[in-house]
């Protein structure tokens, strides 16, 4: 009986130990360094590269990436990427529409690794990049709440000094009452020249609409590198100033149905000037 009592006591002690033992420890998050950079090809979009450097000695598999915090709440983007030891990989994602009133704080990257959503703080350089992107994005959002700036038709081909051009219109339309809008200048791309047919037409404070006739054509870059390597062919620019505010860039993109006509004008002008 004395032996049986001892066995029972030992069993109770073991049960008590199992009830109060510490839960198994989760494996530590891999040692990764994270920053954010926007490549030129993604300019004027909300797409960025979350650059992740693997500081461990083993391959780390990342299933998805997401940016959050500091005015950012981006979507979860599947990536299915292996990070090799010591190397840096840019995981492309969108930072989403910013919350302009809360921008400027800490931005975190959430990486799904081994089924866990792990948070990594974006470094100082990446946060500075995000501040610049959000400042420009929020300025454009505020601008578009008061005016709309766009390229519009009708489009027709003309010849200026022997060179073919496509004539269209730059239309500034007021969406809300506000100060005058000063149309400062226009800018083309690596292939396309965008310029006013005559002068730039500003939007007066009492006006609802201002129209500037514009010309689209070749800017003279006809070399194979420019013709074959252009990645932002149709990201054209108008630089405007609302009231006493700062000058802002508005990205202009011709309608898709017109883009082929613009390229045709460029090709024919380049062919005309070829030796």
């Amino acid at each position: 009986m004395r032996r049986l009592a001892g066995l029972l006591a030992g069993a109770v002690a073991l049960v008590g130990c199992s009830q109060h033992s510490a839960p198994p420890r989760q494996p530590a998050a891999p040692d990764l360094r994270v920053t954010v950079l926007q490549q030129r090809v993604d300019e004027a979009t909300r797409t960025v590269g979350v650059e992740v450097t693997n500081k461990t000695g083993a391959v780390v598999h990342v299933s998805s990436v997401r940016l959050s915090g500091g005015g950012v709440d981006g979507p979860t983007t599947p990536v299915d990427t292996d990070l090799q030891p010591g190397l840096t990989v840019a995981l492309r994602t969108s930072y989403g529409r910013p919350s302009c009133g809360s921008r400027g704080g800490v931005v975190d990257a959430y990486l799904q690794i081994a089924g866990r959503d792990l948070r990594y703080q974006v470094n100082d350089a990446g946060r500075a990049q995000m501040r610049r992107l959000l400042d420009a994005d929020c300025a454009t959002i505020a601008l578009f709440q008061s005016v709309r700036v766009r390229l519009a038709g009708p489009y027709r081909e003309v010849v200026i000094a022997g060179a073919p051009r496509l004539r269209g219109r730059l239309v500034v339309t007021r969406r809300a009452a506000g100060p005058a809008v000063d149309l400062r200048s226009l800018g083309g791309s690596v292939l396309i020249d965008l310029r006013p047919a005559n002068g730039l037409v500003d939007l007066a404070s009492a006006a609802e609409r201002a129209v500037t006739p514009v010309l689209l054509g070749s800017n003279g870059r006809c070399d194979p590198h420019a013709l074959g390597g252009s990645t932002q062919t149709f990201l054209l620019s108008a630089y405007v100033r609302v009231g006493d505010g700062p000058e802002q860039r508005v990205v202009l993109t011709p309608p898709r149905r017109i883009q082929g006509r613009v390229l045709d004008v460029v090709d024919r002008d380049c062919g005309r000037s070829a030796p």
Side-chain angles (χ1 to χ4, degrees):
M1 291 295 293
R2 195 175 298 160
R3 182 180 177 189
L4 178 60
L7 290 173
L8 290 174
V12 170
L14 287 173
V15 170
C17 289
S18 65
Q19 289 176 340
H20 298 287
S21 60
R25 295 181 63 185
Q26 293 289 334
D31 185 9
L32 307 176
R33 299 293 185 270
V34 178
T35 190
V36 175
L37 184 66
Q38 186 178 66
Q39 299 293 336
R40 181 173 174 78
V41 68
D42 294 320
E43 186 180 343
T45 75
R46 290 175 175 150
T47 297
V48 294
V50 177
E51 295 198 344
V52 183
T53 303
N54 184 358
K55 306 295 286 186
T56 76
V59 175
V60 176
H61 183 78
V62 181
S63 301
S64 67
V65 59
R66 176 172 65 90
L67 289 171
S68 182
V72 170
D73 187 17
T76 298
T77 304
V79 290
D80 193 23
T81 300
D82 285 332
L83 307 178
Q84 300 296 328
L87 298 183
T88 300
V89 175
L91 307 175
R92 297 179 79 242
T93 187
S94 170
Y95 62 78
R97 183 179 175 88
S99 176
C100 294
S102 58
R103 68 185 188 275
V106 173
V107 179
D108 294 316
Y110 289 82
L111 307 177
Q112 189 176 74
I113 298 172
R116 293 188 297 154
D117 210 21
L118 302 179
R119 179 171 64 90
Y120 289 89
Q121 191 174 108
V122 174
N123 68 10
D124 290 346
R127 290 201 300 272
Q129 169 78 102
M130 286 305 309
R131 281 195 298 271
R132 290 190 293 271
L133 292 174
L134 294 184
D135 285 348
D137 200 350
C138 290
T140 300
I141 290 172
L143 173 68
F144 283 175
Q145 289 173 347
S146 59
V147 296
R148 183 185 183 194
V149 185
R150 63 190 177 94
L151 289 172
Y155 294 91
R156 63 186 180 89
E157 188 174 325
V158 296
V159 177
I160 306 293
R165 293 287 185 267
L166 199 64
R167 184 183 176 102
R169 300 181 303 157
L170 178 67
V171 181
V172 183
T173 308
R174 191 175 297 284
R175 285 176 163 161
V181 179
D182 183 9
L183 190 56
R184 313 280 287 182
S185 63
L186 303 179
S189 69
V190 69
L191 288 182
I192 297 171
D193 178 61
L194 173 65
R195 66 179 61 189
N198 298 299
L200 296 170
V201 180
D202 298 330
L203 180 66
S205 58
E208 295 297 320
R209 190 166 178 261
V211 178
T212 296
V214 296
L215 299 170
L216 298 100
S218 172
N219 64 8
R221 283 290 307 274
C222 298
D223 56 281
H225 176 73
L227 292 173
S230 175
T231 58
Q232 296 183 318
T233 305
F234 293 107
L235 292 187
L236 312 176
S237 305
Y239 296 90
V240 305
R241 184 180 179 188
V242 180
D244 296 328
E247 183 174 292
Q248 294 177 237
R249 179 195 181 197
V250 177
V251 175
L252 305 170
T253 303
R256 187 173 295 276
R257 68 183 185 279
I258 300 300
Q259 293 178 10
R261 294 179 63 185
V262 177
L263 288 180
D264 180 62
V265 165
V266 170
D267 287 343
R268 285 192 284 117
D269 193 26
C270 285
R272 178 185 68 89
S273 58

